[in-house]
Structures are given as structure tokens and as C-alpha cells.
Amino acid sequence: MALSMEISISISTKSFVGGERSSRLTSSFNSLNSRQRQRQRHRRCVGFPMAAATVERMATIVEEEKTKAVKFTARAVVTVRRKRREDLKETIANQIDAYSDKIVGRSVLLELIGTQIDPKTGGPKTSKRTHLKGWFDKKDLKAEKVVYTADFMVDSTFGEPGAITILNRHQREFYLESIEVQGFPTGTVHFTCDSWVQPNKIQPNKRVFFTNKPYLPSETPLGLRRLREMELMELRGDGKGERKMTDRIYDYDIYNDLGNPDKGTELVRPTIGGAESLPYPRRLRTGRPPTETDESAERRVEYPEPIYIPRDEEFEEKKLEMLADGDVKALLHNLVPLLVSSLSPETNDFKGFHDIDNLFKEGLRLKQALQDYLLEKIPFVTKIQESSEGLLRYDTPHIIRKDKFAWLRDDEFARQSLAGINPVNIERLQAFPPVSKLDPEVYGPPESAIKEEHIIGYLNGMSVQQALENNRLYMLDFHDIYLPFLDKINAQDGRKAYGTRTIFFLTDLGTLKPIAIELSLPPATPNCSRAKRVLTPPTDATNNWLWQLAKAHVCSNDAGVHQLVNHWLRTHACMEPFIVAAHRQLSIMHPIFKLLKPHMRYNLKINSIARQILISGGGVIESGFTPGKYCVEMSSAAYRDLWRFDQEGLPADLIRRGMAVPDQTEPHGLRLLIKDYPYATDGLLLWSAIEKFVQSYVATYYPSSQSILSDTELQSWYAESIQVGHADRKSAPWWPQLTDQSNLVSILTTLIWLASAQHAALNFGQYPLGGYVPNRPPLMRRLVPAESDPEYKNFMADPHRFFLSALPGLTQMTTFMTVIDTLSTHSKDEEYLGERDDNWTGDEEMVKAFQEFAKEVMEAEKEMERRNGDKERRNRCGAGVLPYELMQPSSGPGVTCRGVPNSVTI
């Protein structure tokens, strides 16, 4: 009986199947330890010498059998995501793939790769190649996700799986979402793929996917080291040739594709980046050939034709559906006003505020003849047949839903500097008068024209010095960034601008009030009565209209800096080099890549579209904002003079602007000087949550400074981001050194902050707060008239009409509204801060840490909601006052004026 029991153990190890085999194999090997077996054999053989000898001999056979490799089957469960909508060509191609899979078989081949080295081959241990099963059988399955299987035959010496290779012998690509390998003693092995697998006729090399288990470079198992290096080499490419849409290559280039010289001199634009005079971050390289008329300019690809980005950076289908819906809306909102104004030029200027209001209340009414004309041109548009005259209505922006006239008030003008679309330019005035940093030999005396007598009456009995010492004076200063460009801006048709400064006083209630606005022009401006002009709060009707015009110019300055510097430059363009470098230098197995991955989603795609239609020559930004064709040059100047990575984090930025002072007794290590500063107070909640999670994450993988210094991939990523991605600023002394935990935490927290909360705060309020253009005109067409100006007479005769004529016209306004409506929209596939699939890493400790982070984000949202109901917080609560929700992490789809996606998704 004892003999039969031992033999049964040996036989059973050869007959296991799948997961049951793995389980029984483990239990058989561990069921009896050697000491127990020796005691059993001794008891059984006493008094039976022959039997004892036989048993000992069989036991030896059993021990030898146990050391031999035991074959078993592991099963891969493969999830493929199908397109929700296919055109006829795609449907036919997919059917051909399915039938070829049935007839020929073995169309998608897989191979499992172990973490150990095979001593026989010197390479990693591998399974036999197998194929995906069920492609034909599931060809007509109506599901977004389809699950297939494949079986691997391996033996018990294989060890732990570390990677899978896939060869696609179909005619078309497919989207591989994930793979789970079942049947190993260590449990289910997860592969998070999220990648398009190209057919081998396009990419003949096998694709490699690694498990979700993180490894630092020095800790990479021997069986995976070469694969890790080869995968990074493939992603870097060789820097040559034009990229194909199916490529996966990440590389750098300068901004030499914004103009289109082949279409005429009016679309010639300078190359941005690579020159000391026009520095800029690098963009993703496409390798397109040069234009015919300028060898230094890259040939343009006009939207909607796609521009190259690595295949996996493309929008997912839900995002594409949102944009497609937006395109139809944009077609109506752009084309209809354009045709209306071209057929009836007198309709391009608004006759009264009611004309603007009607865009939201009644829509753009069309006469029947014009409606018939439009239906002939755009036959699929039935939306405009909502009335006998035709109608096209815009959604009412949040800013006028609670109080239609709030935008006219000074307190609302000031409040928006703390809780509006651009709450990152307000700064504490630390010296009076303000002083310019521009060259006085070119731009005149540096001192502001605002004098003590202008503001002394608005300081609640304080002197200017007392107000400064008590932190009661604040400023919006757009003087230096605009003044060098004003001659060129104002020489353009229909564009007028100043370099503005606005002084605010902090009241006892914690709100701001504007007390002086300075309007500056270059000192050599011809036919200008005053190069510098100061206006103060009005006391009569005439000055009230002049004050409103001055505030509109401040808002126009603010809108340009917001879009060109704070939004585009800081959260889009400056992030791109870090993302490109991450793909080139950090393996997908690297824990830092896993940390950053959700915060890099869609950035490269969005930026590529921006180069096509937003910041391009003649694009939306040039057409809709006052700087016009000099928009990107102004952005370049800000990158040269203002941008500093070490001050991009929220605490450092608040301290730099004088809005806070360091104070270790406060929860966030600083004390805000305006306690009710909604952007800052809410932002600090999210910053702290991000920082705490990053600290925990970094401490797990980097116990010492030496571990950071010795991480070759991490050091290469950061060095390349600076030396290549930000080559024009690489010599700046302020770059943080990647030498210890503290600096690494700061760098990573800053990047995550910029991609998530900072971008959300600057982006998703654009239509809700800026869609009513008189509140925040992106473009001004007239200067503020002085008594000696020829226009002053017209202004005095009809100030209301003059004010409207200074704003954008119908086509400019509606085009701008349409664009910011799209930019403010959340898609259905949005992934918000604190949201992530649990399989993002195989490190269970970090999964739990992320879950704690998600809870902290939810608690922050509850605190923000509480604050919005606090009547003492007058900058976010009060009659007609909009609550501040731009930092609230969650949101539904659409234009919601809230929601913090993980990344720059629009």
C-alpha cells in the first residue's frame, strides 16, 4: 500500500491539466517533507528486508522523477477591443481576416517568455508558439470587447512568466486590451496592453508585452533584460525618414510646421524653437518633407487629415465620437454666421447687447430665403428648421445664468482674477510704483504711470506704504509681455491692444476691488495722445464707459496670456518633451512610467491637432485673439522670460507671485495672504493628495539617494527631457537636480499637477466663464478714446454702440465661442483624478496606496462642496456668485465647468 501511494504521486505529476495541474503539482511537491517520508518508510519496512530494499529503490526512482521537468498547460485569456462603428471597407476586411483564420489557421501567434535564462540557449525561457482560438467563431459577436483564448505548453522549470510576444498575420490591426495567463503556481499573471497590434506585413517584428509587475532596471530578471532594451530601442527609432501612421516611434523636432509658405507670404511663420531669439520646447517629430518654397519649413497636413503621432497615442473611439458631434456643431456655429455676414455685411456688427443675448435665448435667426440657401448648401442640417425663420442657438454660459449683469460690476471683474478662467496671474504688489523689466532705452522709463494720488482715496484711510506692508495691494501686470509686440499687433487690421496694469485693493471682507488701470503703448506710437494713461473707478457716465472699455482691454490681455502662456505653453507644450522622453527612456516596466502613464494620455494627440488648427498660421488662436499672427512669438517670449520648471508646482508658484508665504505651521507649509482664493485653496487640497501619494510611491522603490542616482533609465529620462526636449533652456541654473527623494517627488508631483489639476483649472471653464464674450473679450478692435482722438466724438454720441464695435464681430465671436465650447467639453471616456484600473501595477502595496489616494481626492471634493456653501467665502458664494468647481475632480460628460481628468485630454 505504501508503494502504491508513492507511485501514485509520481504518476499524478504527469497527468495534470490547466490550473488543476498547477495546483496539484504544487501540493504534491509540498505534501510530505523528506523527514516525514523517511519516518514512514522506516515504519513500513521493519521486519521485511526484501520489501524494504524494494521500497528504498522505488523511493530513489520517485526522488529522481520529481526533479524532472513536468509538462503542463497554461491558458491565456486575451481581450480584444473592437470598433463600435465600422465603415464598409473595415467590415469586409475583418470578415476576410476571420475566414482566413478559419481556413489557414494560426493567424495570431503568441509565445510566452519567462523571467529566467535557459541554460541550453543562453536566451530567456520560452514556450512553444501557439495561436489565438475563436477568431472566426466570434466574428459576428456584437460586443465592444471580445475574449479569445490560447494554450501554452510549458514545463515546471519554466519559472515565472515575464512577457508575451504576439505576431499578427491578419490583414488589419487589432486593439489588444489585456491578457491574463492562468495555470501557474504563482497565480494569474496580468498583462495590461492597451495597444494596437499591426499586421506583420506592416511591422514584421513580433510585439512584446510585459507583465504588469514593475522592475527597476537593475532588478530586471535576466530573461527580460535584453527584451527591455530592444523595446526601448524600437520606440526611439533612428531619427530618419517620414513617420507612418502605424509607427510607434517617439522623437523630437522644432515648431517649423505652423506656417504654410506654399500658400502665400501671409501664411509665412518663423520657426519656433532652436534659436536664441525664439526659444521653445520641442514637439514630436513627424519627419514630413519640407515645403516647396522654404526648405526650413515642414510641409503641413491640414485638418482633418491626420498628422503623425505614435499609433497608441490616438484618440479612443468614444473621444472621436465626442469630437465628431462637436464637428457638426462647429460646422453650424461657424459656417452659418460666416454666410450670414457675407450675404448681409451689416449684420457682422452687433447693434445692441440684445443681439448677443439672443445668441443664447433665441439663436441666430435666419430669413427664409437665407435658410433655403443654407439647406441647399448643407442638406443634412435640419437643426436650423426649428422655426419658420430658422434658428441656431448657443448654450447659455454659466457666467450669465445666475446674474446676467454681474460681468459689468467691478467686484466680479476682480473676483474672476481669483476664481475665473485665469486665476494664476494675480500677484501681490510688493513695491510701489510697479516697475518694468524692459530695456528703458527702447521702451521708455520703467516706472508705472500710476501715482499715489491715483489710488490714495481707495485705501480705506491707509497710506500706500501701509497698504503694502499689510498685504492689501494686488496687481494684474501684462505690461512687459505685451509692450514689445504692440506696434506689430496694432498695425494689423481690426486689432488694438495695450500693455495693461491693474491695481486691486483687498477689502476687509476678503474681496478685491480694482482701484486703477494703466494703459500703455510704445513711447513712439504715432497719433497717440498718451503713451501711458491711468484710469480710476468712475464717478460719472462718461468715465463709466471709459472704465468699462479699459476693463475690456485688461480682460483681452488676460485672455491672450491665459491661452498662449498659462494654458497652451505651460500645460501642453512644456509637458510634451517629458512625455516623449518617458516613452524613449523609461521601460513600460519601470515603476515611474507606470506612475506617469495615465497623466500622459492624449497629450501628444491634442498637441498635434493644436498645430494644425489652433496655433497655426491663420488658425483659431491667431484669428480670435488680439496678438493675431504674433501669438506664438509672444508665447515664445514667455517661455524665454517667464517659464521656470522649478516654479511650476502650486506652492512655489503661489510664493513666487507673493500670494503666499512659507509657514510650516500651516497644513500645506504656506500661508495664503488672501484666505478666500478659491483656485489656491482647492488646488492645495489636490496638490497635497498628489504629493503624499508620490512620496509613498518613491519611497517604496528608492530607499536612498544612491538608488536614484544609479537608475540609468530614470536619469536618462530626466536628462533627455531637459537637454533635448527643453534644449533652448537646458543651461538655466534653476533646473532641479535629480539626486534625492525630495527632488524626485517634487519633479513627479509637478508633472502630475500640470497634466491634471492645473490644466483642468485653466481649460474646462473656458465656455462657461468666457462664452459670454463681453465678459472676457479675446480680441479688441478699438483703443480707449481720449478727448483729442477723432473717435471721441463717435464715442460720446453713442458709447453703447462704440463699446460693442470694440468687441469681436459676429463671425469672430461665434467662431471663438464654438472653439471654446469644444475645448470645455468632457468626453465619455474621461478618466478623472483618483480613477485607475487595479491592474495598472502588479505591486499590491502600491495598488492599496493608490486606493488611499483616491479616497483623499474624494474627501477633497467634499470639502470643496462645503466651501461653496460657506457664506463667509464671498469669492465663491453669494447672490449671483458662481461657485468655484473647476478643481472638483468628478464630472459627467459635456460642458460642466468642473472635473479634473488625469491628463491633458482636450
Side-chain angles (χ1 to χ4, degrees):
M1 182 175 177
L3 180 62
S4 64
M5 184 177 77
E6 294 283 6
I7 292 173
S8 70
I9 293 174
S10 176
I11 293 172
S12 65
T13 61
K14 295 183 178 181
S15 58
F16 299 142
V17 178
E20 182 183 357
R21 171 185 304 146
S22 171
S23 176
R24 290 171 61 191
L25 180 63
T26 304
S27 62
S28 298
F29 283 168
N30 297 321
S31 60
L32 295 173
N33 62 40
S34 59
R35 190 174 299 171
Q36 289 173 318
R37 289 197 293 272
Q38 289 291 340
R39 284 200 298 266
Q40 288 175 353
R41 283 197 290 271
H42 177 72
R43 286 196 298 269
R44 291 170 190 154
C45 298
V46 173
F48 299 96
M50 275 187 68
T54 304
V55 170
E56 289 292 332
R57 188 164 55 251
M58 292 303 300
T60 301
I61 295 173
V62 170
E63 292 293 330
E64 293 174 353
E65 186 71 26
K66 285 165 59 181
T67 63
K68 293 182 180 179
V70 177
K71 299 287 185 183
F72 68 96
T73 302
R75 169 157 290 183
V77 179
V78 180
T79 302
V80 172
R81 188 189 303 168
R82 288 181 176 174
K83 284 189 174 182
R84 290 147 58 97
R85 299 176 183 176
E86 291 181 341
D87 57 32
L88 180 61
K89 183 179 178 180
E90 290 173 325
T91 301
I92 293 172
N94 287 335
Q95 291 294 317
I96 292 172
D97 279 342
Y99 278 97
S100 66
D101 198 271
K102 179 182 181 183
I103 297 169
V104 180
R106 304 177 68 80
S107 292
V108 179
L109 303 179
L110 300 90
E111 189 174 24
L112 198 60
I113 299 175
T115 58
Q116 301 174 8
I117 292 293
D118 188 335
K120 296 179 181 178
T121 65
K125 291 186 176 182
T126 60
S127 69
K128 289 186 178 180
R129 208 159 60 166
T130 187
H131 67 281
L132 208 60
K133 297 185 291 188
W135 200 280
F136 175 80
D137 298 333
K138 297 181 179 181
K139 63 181 175 62
D140 297 321
L141 193 63
K142 302 298 182 183
E144 184 178 354
K145 297 180 181 181
V146 183
V147 177
Y148 305 96
T149 60
D151 292 329
F152 298 103
M153 182 60 69
V154 294
D155 61 48
S156 55
T157 66
F158 186 84
E160 183 182 357
I164 280 182
T165 66
I166 294 184
L167 187 66
N168 175 14
R169 301 201 299 194
H170 284 155
Q171 296 299 305
R172 290 185 57 79
E173 64 180 5
F174 63 83
Y175 188 84
L176 181 61
E177 186 172 275
S178 65
I179 301 173
E180 292 185 353
V181 177
Q182 304 165 351
F184 279 86
T186 51
T188 300
V189 183
H190 296 277
F191 296 78
T192 302
C193 305
D194 292 328
S195 182
W196 290 95
V197 180
Q198 299 301 322
N200 65 336
K201 66 179 181 180
I202 294 176
Q203 292 184 353
N205 295 334
K206 293 182 287 187
R207 283 292 307 277
V208 178
F209 294 96
F210 297 100
T211 70
N212 65 351
K213 188 172 182 178
Y215 293 106
L216 292 171
S218 61
E219 298 171 351
T220 308
L222 294 176
L224 302 179
R225 289 189 177 181
R226 180 58 181 157
L227 284 175
R228 181 175 185 147
E229 295 170 1
M230 291 174 63
E231 175 73 359
L232 285 173
M233 289 174 62
E234 185 172 328
L235 291 170
R236 291 175 196 141
D238 60 7
K240 300 177 182 178
E242 183 174 358
R243 298 272 64 86
K244 302 182 183 69
M245 300 305 293
T246 53
D247 285 346
R248 301 170 58 235
I249 295 173
Y250 297 79
D251 206 351
Y252 304 92
D253 210 338
I254 52 180
Y255 282 75
N256 62 346
D257 63 342
L258 301 181
N260 195 344
D262 289 347
K263 286 193 173 181
T265 56
E266 69 279 1
L267 289 178
V268 172
R269 295 293 181 273
T271 294
I272 307 294
E276 185 177 347
S277 59
L278 291 172
Y280 220 56
R282 299 300 183 259
R283 63 167 174 92
L284 182 77
R285 179 183 180 274
T286 66
R288 297 193 304 271
T291 61
E292 294 179 3
T293 54
D294 185 352
E295 284 287 325
S296 65
E298 187 173 271
R299 187 175 301 167
R300 287 189 53 76
V301 175
E302 301 295 350
Y303 189 82
E305 289 298 314
I307 188 172
Y308 170 76
I309 58 169
R311 183 66 182 95
D312 291 340
E313 303 292 338
E314 281 287 347
F315 289 144
E316 294 181 20
E317 202 163 5
K318 290 179 182 177
K319 185 76 170 182
L320 290 171
E321 289 172 359
M322 182 275 284
L323 291 173
D325 292 341
D327 284 345
V328 174
K329 189 175 182 180
L331 178 65
L332 287 167
H333 283 174
N334 285 335
L335 184 57
V336 172
L338 182 63
L339 290 172
V340 169
S341 61
S342 65
L343 294 174
S344 304
E346 71 280 359
T347 64
N348 193 45
D349 282 332
F350 296 102
K351 296 181 176 63
F353 283 106
H354 62 274
D355 288 339
I356 300 175
D357 296 342
N358 283 342
L359 293 174
F360 312 109
K361 292 168 60 179
E362 300 178 1
L364 186 64
R365 292 194 171 276
L366 312 177
K367 296 179 180 179
Q368 189 64 47
L370 181 56
Q371 175 186 320
D372 294 341
Y373 173 80
L374 292 176
L375 287 174
E376 179 183 342
K377 293 292 183 184
I378 324 170
F380 63 86
V381 175
T382 57
K383 183 177 178 179
I384 61 174
Q385 291 181 294
E386 296 176 23
S387 72
S388 60
E389 293 183 324
L391 179 66
L392 184 65
R393 187 167 56 221
Y394 295 76
D395 296 330
T396 302
H398 292 58
I399 194 67
I400 57 172
R401 288 181 185 178
K402 294 185 72 174
D403 187 344
K404 179 180 175 181
F405 302 106
W407 68 275
L408 285 165
R409 299 198 312 265
D410 284 358
D411 64 287
E412 177 62 18
F413 168 73
R415 189 193 72 85
Q416 290 185 32
S417 69
L418 300 172
I421 308 169
N422 187 39
V424 297
N425 272 102
I426 187 74
E427 60 183 291
R428 179 165 55 94
L429 187 61
Q430 300 184 51
F432 187 86
V435 176
S436 170
K437 296 178 182 179
L438 298 175
D439 184 350
E441 293 187 6
V442 178
Y443 300 103
E447 293 80 15
S448 167
I450 301 175
K451 305 299 181 185
E452 184 167 356
E453 56 264 28
H454 288 122
I455 64 174
I456 191 67
Y458 304 99
L459 304 182
N460 286 8
M462 297 182 188
S463 68
V464 172
Q465 187 59 34
Q466 288 173 326
L468 288 172
E469 292 171 355
N470 287 280
N471 303 318
R472 304 292 287 270
L473 292 177
Y474 294 82
M475 177 173 61
L476 285 177
D477 187 355
F478 301 117
H479 178 278
D480 285 8
I481 192 168
Y482 271 90
L483 203 66
F485 294 92
L486 286 182
D487 282 337
K488 293 188 287 188
I489 290 172
N490 291 335
Q492 300 174 100
D493 290 338
R495 293 167 194 271
K496 298 298 176 186
Y498 298 96
T500 67
R501 289 191 184 101
T502 306
I503 306 294
F504 299 91
F505 179 74
L506 179 64
T507 70
D508 294 338
L509 296 176
T511 59
L512 294 176
K513 65 176 182 180
I515 58 176
I517 295 175
E518 179 182 20
L519 306 175
S520 296
L521 293 168
T525 300
N527 302 320
C528 177
S529 56
R530 299 178 190 176
K532 292 184 179 182
R533 183 176 177 188
V534 177
L535 289 86
T536 55
T539 55
D540 59 52
T542 300
N543 283 308
N544 181 69
W545 279 108
L546 294 173
W547 180 249
Q548 294 296 343
L549 280 166
K551 288 195 298 182
H553 273 281
V554 173
C555 289
S556 179
N557 273 188
D558 188 79
V561 170
H562 161 258
Q563 198 68 266
L564 300 169
V565 180
N566 299 329
H567 180 203
W568 163 252
L569 174 66
R570 294 173 64 186
T571 68
H572 285 259
C574 286
M575 283 291 293
E576 188 161 347
F578 290 98
I579 293 171
V580 173
H583 286 281
R584 288 169 52 86
Q585 301 297 341
L586 295 175
S587 166
I588 196 171
M589 291 190 285
H590 200 291
I592 299 304
F593 186 92
K594 291 183 179 297
L595 173 70
L596 292 177
K597 185 179 179 182
H599 307 292
M600 301 188 290
R601 183 183 187 225
Y602 289 163
N603 178 286
L604 298 183
K605 177 64 176 179
I606 289 294
N607 288 4
S608 71
I609 294 177
R611 297 202 311 274
Q612 286 185 293
I613 63 175
L614 293 179
I615 64 169
S616 57
V620 171
I621 301 298
E622 285 193 2
S623 301
F625 289 82
T626 301
K629 65 187 294 185
Y630 306 103
C631 280
V632 181
E633 291 183 48
M634 184 180 290
S635 183
S636 170
Y639 179 67
R640 181 192 65 218
D641 300 333
L642 304 175
W643 186 81
R644 287 183 52 164
F645 181 75
D646 64 326
Q647 295 181 347
E648 286 298 283
L650 179 60
D653 176 57
L654 291 170
I655 292 170
R656 175 185 65 84
R657 291 187 283 121
M659 301 301 292
V661 292
D663 187 342
Q664 293 307 312
T665 65
E666 293 289 322
H668 307 291
L670 53 78
R671 175 169 53 87
L672 289 171
L673 299 181
I674 299 179
K675 292 182 180 180
D676 184 22
Y677 182 3
Y679 160 79
T681 55
D682 289 5
L684 285 169
L685 293 178
L686 297 185
W687 171 273
S688 295
I690 295 167
E691 184 180 48
K692 182 179 176 182
F693 172 57
V694 173
Q695 285 172 338
S696 171
Y697 196 89
V698 167
T700 299
Y701 295 105
Y702 298 101
S704 67
S705 296
Q706 184 56 39
S707 60
I708 291 174
L709 291 168
S710 62
D711 185 336
T712 54
E713 287 186 7
L714 182 71
Q715 294 292 334
S716 296
W717 162 68
Y718 188 59
E720 184 175 286
S721 298
I722 298 170
Q723 298 297 321
V724 183
H726 285 277
D728 299 336
R729 304 304 315 275
K730 66 181 180 182
S731 300
W734 39 253
W735 284 103
Q737 298 298 306
L738 187 50
T739 54
D740 55 33
Q741 276 191 359
S742 176
N743 278 353
L744 178 56
V745 168
S746 176
I747 291 165
L748 295 173
T749 303
T750 297
L751 291 174
I752 293 171
W753 160 260
L754 289 170
S756 58
Q758 180 74 311
H759 177 261
L762 296 169
N763 182 75
F764 291 103
Q766 290 192 77
Y767 187 81
L769 306 181
Y772 186 72
V773 172
N775 172 60
R776 185 181 169 78
L779 180 151
M780 293 294 285
R781 295 187 289 166
R782 291 177 183 270
L783 295 174
V784 179
E787 289 189 35
S788 58
D789 295 337
E791 288 187 324
Y792 192 79
K793 186 176 181 180
N794 294 332
F795 161 73
M796 291 295 291
D798 194 342
H800 170 253
R801 191 73 172 265
F802 187 93
F803 182 89
L804 289 172
S805 70
L807 301 181
L810 173 65
T811 55
Q812 290 172 319
M813 187 177 292
T814 53
T815 299
F816 172 75
M817 289 161 57
T818 300
V819 171
I820 62 172
D821 180 53
T822 300
L823 294 179
S824 303
T825 301
H826 290 292
S827 60
K828 293 178 181 178
D829 72 336
E830 207 86 274
E831 296 173 358
Y832 295 97
L833 195 65
E835 295 181 351
R836 201 167 183 187
D837 186 276
D838 283 348
N839 288 329
W840 67 275
T841 179
D843 188 332
E844 293 184 5
E845 182 183 345
M846 287 301 97
V847 171
K848 292 178 182 177
F850 185 83
Q851 291 169 348
E852 289 301 312
F853 166 65
K855 290 179 183 177
E856 193 163 344
V857 170
M858 291 176 62
E859 289 302 314
E861 181 165 321
K862 292 177 183 177
E863 172 60 17
M864 294 175 200
E865 291 173 351
R866 186 197 68 76
R867 291 171 177 177
N868 282 333
D870 184 352
K871 294 180 181 178
E872 294 302 311
R873 298 177 183 266
R874 291 174 173 81
N875 291 317
R876 62 195 304 163
C877 181
V881 175
L882 286 179
Y884 188 74
E885 298 179 321
L886 286 168
M887 288 284 189
Q888 293 200 14
S890 67
S891 175
V895 179
T896 63
C897 202
R898 60 177 292 157
V900 179
N902 279 321
S903 59
V904 177
T905 58
I906 191 68

